């Protein structure tokens, strides 16, 4: 796995964690007190990025190709043919 692949993995993880964070933010957004809104919004931005970094590093250290790697490659190259496991 090269550096470009690690970046693709990070982007995939950031999109997935960011979408979950955005959904949680929409759910609790109306119930936040005005004073805490800035801190909570910052947490909804920072926590998914930290989780994406941690999960990317853990995945790259595992040195095993999985379906996550296929999804990361397809994120940047949507017209790529399926891998051997998808046939």
């Amino acid at each position: 796995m090269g550096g470009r692949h690690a970046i693709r993995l990070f982007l995939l993880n950031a999109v997935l964690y960011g979408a979950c964070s955005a959904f949680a933010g929409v759910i609790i957004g109306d119930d936040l007190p005005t004073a805490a809104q800035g801190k909570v919004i910052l947490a909804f931005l920072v926590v998914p990025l930290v989780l994406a970094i941690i999960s990317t590093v853990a995945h790259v250290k595992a040195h095993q190709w999985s379906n996550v790697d296929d999804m990361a490659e397809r994120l940047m190259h949507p017209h790529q043919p399926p891998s051997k496991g998808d046939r």
Side-chain angles (χ1 to χ4, degrees):
M1 291 186 208
R4 284 185 174 185
H5 184 69
I7 291 171
R8 290 179 185 134
L9 281 170
F10 170 74
L11 290 175
L12 176 67
N13 287 326
V15 166
L16 294 175
Y17 289 127
C20 293
S21 177
F23 181 70
V26 167
I27 291 174
I28 69 165
D30 293 336
D31 297 329
L32 290 174
T34 307
Q37 274 183 335
K39 292 178 184 177
V40 173
I41 290 172
L42 182 64
F44 278 132
L45 294 173
V46 172
V47 171
L49 289 177
V50 170
L51 288 174
I53 291 169
I54 291 170
S55 61
T56 301
V57 169
H59 187 84
V60 170
K61 281 187 174 185
H63 297 291
Q64 292 182 343
W65 193 271
S66 68
N67 289 336
V68 175
D69 298 293
D70 290 335
M71 286 191 310
E73 290 299 318
R74 287 186 189 146
L75 181 68
M76 296 296 160
H77 304 289
H79 301 294
Q80 179 179 345
S83 67
K84 293 178 186 175
D86 293 342
R87 294 181 197 166

